[in-house]
Amino acid sequence: MPDLVDALRWRWKPAAVIALCIFVGALLYIQKLPSEYDGKAIVSISPRVGTAAGADTVRVEAPKFVAFVEAPETARTVERIVGIPAATLNKAVNATVPVDTGNVSIVVRLKSPTHAADSANAFADQVVSFSKSDPLLTAQIVARALPPSAPAAPPRRLLEAASLVVGVLIGVGVSLLLERGRPRLRSWRDMARMTGYPVVGRVPSTRILRTRPTEAFADPITGSAFRTLRANIEPQLREQDIDMLLVTSPSSGDGKTTVAALLAESLGRLGMRVLLVDADLKRPRLARLAKLNGHPGLADVLRERVSLAQGVQPGWIDELSVLATAPEPEAGDLLPRHFGDVIQQAREDYDVIVVDAPPLLGTDDARVIAPLAAGVILVVSAGSVASPVNEAVLAIESLKAPLLGIVGNRLKESRSLYYY
């Protein structure tokens, strides 16, 4: 049941679309079904006057009149009267005798109300004619059929309700299969359970992160989230003497650059000298986020065109420095050759180096620099497919890089969690 509730919670849109499509399709089909009308006549069977027949005789003999009505020969006789094929009449007619009565109920269901009534009356006349040769019983029509005003079939309302139920069940089933076939990490609990690592940060989805990330600490919700992230990793920074943090993600679009920038700012607010490095030479984003120039930057430092001090620019708070970069087509060769030397130089002037690394999957750049880090933080966006995240965790473990924890990004959590 919890799996079903989660599947409906996150996959309700495809479930609703599937249910709606099935219901609308069934509705159109049901409306196209031809209406059928019941013509109903009642013939009363009673003992003949002057005979010894009684109620028991009626009870025993009445079923033969039912068999007579439903016999093919009777349908052929009625065909000559009403002009409807005998095969159609034979399928349309139905005769019954209620228990402990002598009333034969004759129902004929046809597409025309007039034909249905005429056929029912014709069968009733044949029963009366048939009874004339019976020595014990006689028959008389007590209720002739009238053309019905409303169709008896198909049961459109019932079929519509059934199609809606079936559509909902199929939609729920498909949603459950989608969720199980490609499970997604919707909450921080999913991330912790799937990766086996603690969630050290829970970043909510806020507008300021999308529009003005360098002003994010002015927002109480966002500021509280990054101060909590800082508090969770600060003991490890001090106890393990970690001076380089590498921030990466399974794939692009998880928000690792924003997380790296605000994590660096949160550390700088403690009075640490922090260097924020954009090591994603193929798709650099830090220069645009911080409104800085990518030249000179990390690419120029790696090519030894400028020194590290010349490439570093002041950040948006006093204790923060930024080494941005511009796109570099030879990133795969520059990073393994010189990035370690750059970090070694930076360690002499800064307390902590926060590296915005490329995504782990789809490129080898992050795998080259991950072993240099004293600590790795993996940013996972809410709604990510589980398999790439698991692959990224295995990649970090295979590189023997110390994974400090997971930062859940764009989580939909209650605003009250960030207020005291």
Side-chain angles (χ1 to χ4, degrees), residues 199-203 222-237 245 247 258-260 262-264 266-267 377 379 404-408:
V199 175
V200 294
R202 293 154 59 179
V203 180
T222 307
S224 177
F226 279 96
R227 289 187 181 94
T228 302
L229 168 60
R230 180 185 65 192
N232 287 337
I233 65 172
E234 187 184 359
Q236 299 181 70
L237 298 182
L245 281 172
V247 180
T258 302
V259 171
L262 295 180
L263 172 60
S266 69
L267 295 172
I377 291 177
V379 179
L404 301 184
I406 310 296
V407 172

Side-chain angles (χ1 to χ4, degrees), residues 4-257:
L4 178 60
V5 172
D6 285 341
L8 289 178
R9 180 184 177 188
W10 302 113
R11 301 279 188 173
W12 67 269
K13 289 184 179 179
V17 170
I18 291 172
L20 182 61
C21 290
I22 292 176
F23 177 68
V24 171
L27 193 64
L28 294 175
Y29 174 76
I30 292 168
Q31 294 303 319
K32 291 182 179 180
L33 292 176
S35 297
E36 295 181 328
Y37 299 85
D38 283 353
K40 183 177 181 181
I42 299 177
V43 179
S44 176
I45 308 298
S46 58
R48 285 188 180 276
V49 178
T51 65
D56 291 338
T57 305
V58 173
R59 188 181 300 111
V60 173
E61 296 290 332
K64 73 179 180 181
F65 291 94
V66 172
F68 170 78
V69 171
E70 296 179 349
E73 183 62 30
T74 307
R76 283 193 287 268
T77 303
V78 174
E79 175 186 7
R80 293 192 291 269
I81 300 172
V82 298
I84 298 175
T88 302
L89 292 171
N90 205 34
K91 294 179 181 178
V93 68
N94 180 50
T96 58
V97 178
V99 178
D100 293 333
T101 69
N103 296 329
V104 179
S105 178
I106 303 172
V107 178
V108 179
R109 178 169 293 179
L110 294 172
K111 296 178 181 179
S112 168
T114 303
H115 289 166
D118 292 343
S119 300
N121 289 328
F123 276 104
D125 291 337
Q126 293 303 307
V127 171
V128 173
S129 299
F130 175 71
S131 69
K132 292 178 180 179
S133 60
D134 192 300
L136 298 177
L137 302 177
T138 183
Q140 60 177 341
I141 300 175
V142 295
R144 299 191 68 84
L146 297 175
S149 58
R156 287 189 169 84
R157 295 292 176 266
L158 180 61
L159 293 176
E160 290 168 0
S163 65
L164 180 59
V165 172
V166 171
V168 169
L169 291 177
I170 293 177
V172 170
V174 171
S175 298
L176 188 59
L177 290 177
L178 287 174
E179 189 66 18
R180 290 198 171 188
R182 294 195 66 194
R184 292 181 179 270
L185 307 180
R186 312 287 186 179
S187 66
W188 66 269
R189 294 181 182 84
D190 295 338
M191 298 173 187
R193 182 172 58 249
M194 196 281 297
T195 63
Y197 285 89
V199 175
V200 294
R202 293 154 59 179
V203 180
S205 177
T206 57
R207 179 177 298 178
I208 197 168
L209 289 178
R210 298 189 296 269
T211 57
R212 306 184 309 279
T214 55
E215 303 174 17
F217 274 81
D219 177 60
I221 295 178
T222 307
S224 177
F226 279 96
R227 289 187 181 94
T228 302
L229 168 60
R230 180 185 65 192
N232 287 337
I233 65 172
E234 187 184 359
Q236 299 181 70
L237 298 182
R238 298 190 184 279
E239 293 172 6
Q240 302 176 27
D241 196 23
I242 295 176
D243 57 0
M244 176 182 168
L245 281 172
L246 185 137
V247 180
T248 184
S249 62
S251 55
S252 61
D254 286 319
K256 62 177 180 57
T257 300

